Amino acid sequence: MRYIKFGQDTESNIFNQLDDKKRELAARGVDVINLSIGTPDFQPDAHVMQAVAQAATDPENYKYSMNDTPELIQAVQDWYARRYDVKLDADQIMSVSGSQEGIAHVAFPFAGPGDLVLAPDPGYPIFTFGPMMTGAELGLYPLYAEKGWILDFADIPDEVADRAKMIVVSYPNNPTTAVADRDFYVKLVEYAKKHDLIVLHDNAYSDLVMDGGQGLSFLSIPGAMDVGIEFNSLSKTYNLTGMRVSFAVGNRDVIRRFHDFRSQIDYGMFYPAQAGAVAALNGPQDIVERNRSGYQARRDALCGGLRSIGWDVPDSKGSMFVWAKIPEGYATSAEFVLDLMDKTGVICVPGLSFGEQGEGYVRFALVVPPARMEEAVRRIKDSGILNRA
């Protein structure tokens, strides 16, 4: 276990840093293939955009919304019932301005100086930065490649778990792409009850499980409603990243306290965005399979292509990312990323950005078509970067 507090290991967001470097390359005339940030290039469905556009013509929709509309609550209830066979009551649902914002703020009603929150290493940066903003201490539980990047509860000492207030868990996992099975979630519920932990499960990629797999909800496990909540996002499932529509759902007390806190800092989701969310959740769901198939085709082009030129990159299991061990001859992931950018114009993210356990790896985002992935592979092959050892 490693422990950090606010002010330690905090710097500007890695994606902002990489974006600065991208602009430098572009200014030099380099044809950049940016595989760093996970921004979908697939389009939203027309009926969703139409719902937003129509709602935007009503002047009444420019007032503070304060709360989620009954139509939105009902749409989330129906979607969770259809998608996960999970029944939610209205007081178990609240919207947030994207999962990142929700996770950034959810710890405030529950933790502060002197408290301990558990989060994964490697893990998406907001999993640690959010709770740290409360003044709480972060206990980073390690994820290991040899364990398939799945949390082994034995790696958290019992005395640490007993002291902790909350645990952040996320599968399908960003950045490692690991997918947890039902048995893992059964153990998670038992573990949370044993150690009196609030579970915060980030489920943003449950509809992007590859190779025919089916993502599930943590809340579908008996007893999960007693111990935690889940964040679910429309960003990647329906290509609505800029609309910032996500939901926190689950335990009533956690949702109530979180809602009360957010009411002090937010006046609710823009009504046209709510209308778009209702249209996405209630409308045709063909987009989900199109996205999944599209990302898998890109994954196959990148991972298969890299393996064909001698870089043993495994196929990602879920999410819209690829997690790769850096080639031999490089001391750090940052060293490799900078060399890759300079020699090929291909941008990825150093694994250290996701925690110490991520050192030695890089993350690619599947955000360009297969033909551009093949171009990235060709550049990497021609650069000689894989022959440095």
Side-chain angles (χ1 to χ4, degrees):
M1 297 288 296
R2 186 166 67 94
Y3 301 92
I4 55 175
K5 294 182 179 180
F6 191 76
Q8 295 175 248
D9 298 343
T10 58
E11 54 183 15
S12 65
N13 186 300
I14 181 60
F15 303 111
N16 295 108
Q17 297 177 50
L18 292 174
D19 194 58
D20 290 341
K21 181 64 176 178
K22 179 192 73 173
R23 286 196 294 270
E24 290 178 20
L25 291 173
R28 300 200 324 249
V30 175
D31 175 26
V32 172
I33 302 179
N34 186 5
L35 306 182
S36 60
I37 192 166
T39 301
D41 61 318
F42 299 135
Q43 292 186 351
D45 274 341
H47 71 274
V48 176
M49 293 187 285
Q50 290 166 2
V52 175
Q54 182 176 349
T57 65
D58 184 350
E60 292 297 308
N61 286 338
Y62 289 83
K63 297 178 179 179
Y64 291 133
S65 61
M66 303 303 291
N67 291 296
D68 301 324
T69 63
E71 293 80 10
L72 182 58
I73 294 295
Q74 187 64 57
V76 175
Q77 289 175 306
D78 293 344
W79 188 81
Y80 251 81
R82 291 194 313 269
R83 175 64 182 82
Y84 302 115
D85 195 25
V86 169
K87 181 182 182 300
L88 294 169
D89 293 328
D91 60 353
Q92 294 178 289
I93 302 168
M94 61 176 286
S95 67
V96 292
S97 299
S99 294
Q100 178 144 324
E101 180 273 318
I103 295 169
H105 291 129
V106 68
F108 278 89
F110 304 95
D115 291 322
L116 177 67
V117 177
L118 303 176
D121 180 5
Y124 193 67
I126 199 62
F127 296 161
T128 54
F129 191 76
M132 274 199 302
M133 288 194 296
T134 71
E137 184 178 23
L138 263 291
L140 300 179
Y141 61 79
L143 303 179
Y144 296 110
E146 55 268 29
K147 296 181 180 181
W149 305 104
I150 300 295
L151 166 60
D152 182 345
F153 297 101
D155 289 329
I156 304 176
D158 281 346
E159 62 271 20
V160 173
D162 286 337
R163 185 165 72 87
K165 300 284 290 288
M166 317 176 85
I167 182 169
V168 182
V169 179
S170 178
Y171 293 102
N173 184 264
N174 177 12
T176 71
T177 85
V179 176
D181 60 18
R182 190 172 184 84
D183 287 344
F184 168 81
Y185 289 108
V186 170
K187 293 176 184 176
L188 175 60
V189 171
E190 293 172 350
Y191 188 80
K193 289 186 174 183
K194 176 182 177 182
H195 296 286
D196 193 23
L197 288 166
I198 297 172
V199 175
L200 306 175
H201 182 241
D202 179 30
N203 200 24
Y205 298 102
S206 65
D207 278 320
L208 293 181
V209 176
M210 307 292 186
D211 303 310
Q214 185 74 8
L216 55 81
S217 167
F218 155 71
L219 297 175
S220 67
I221 306 301
M225 294 284 190
D226 299 330
V227 298
I229 66 171
E230 177 167 276
F231 289 91
N232 213 316
S233 172
L234 305 194
S235 292
K236 311 303 167 53
T237 304
Y238 298 100
N239 309 324
L240 300 172
T241 49
M243 211 162 78
R244 311 312 299 140
V245 179
S246 298
F247 304 95
V249 299
N251 182 274
R252 282 183 175 83
D253 182 59
V254 175
I255 295 298
R256 177 185 58 79
R257 293 173 64 179
F258 187 25
H259 183 275
D260 289 347
F261 171 81
R262 284 190 85 254
S263 72
Q264 300 294 326
I265 61 172
D266 185 77
Y267 287 114
M269 186 189 300
F270 187 41
Y271 281 122
Q274 295 198 45
V278 171
L281 293 170
N282 288 346
Q285 299 297 300
D286 312 62
I287 190 173
V288 179
E289 181 53 38
R290 290 200 309 272
N291 284 348
R292 184 162 46 236
S293 298
Y295 285 124
Q296 185 162 322
R298 295 170 176 200
R299 178 205 69 176
D300 292 346
L302 180 62
C303 297
L306 291 174
R307 288 196 298 270
S308 74
I309 63 172
W311 188 359
D312 188 16
V313 176
D315 288 338
S316 50
K317 296 179 180 179
S319 79
M320 57 182 295
F321 303 105
V322 166
W323 185 241
K325 192 171 184 178
I326 63 175
E328 293 183 9
Y330 289 91
T332 68
S333 57
E335 179 190 8
F336 172 73
V337 166
L338 292 173
D339 203 29
L340 181 72
M341 292 170 72
D342 286 336
K343 291 181 177 177
T344 70
V346 175
I347 307 179
C348 61
V349 182
L352 185 61
S353 304
F354 302 100
E356 286 189 355
Q357 293 297 129
E359 182 55 280
Y361 291 81
V362 291
R363 193 198 73 175
F364 294 95
L366 300 172
V367 291
V368 299
R372 286 289 275 174
M373 292 296 187
E374 292 167 2
E375 169 65 13
V377 171
R378 184 193 64 76
R379 293 187 195 179
I380 291 170
K381 177 183 179 182
D382 292 347
S383 71
I385 201 169
L386 301 182
N387 303 317
R388 181 166 175 171

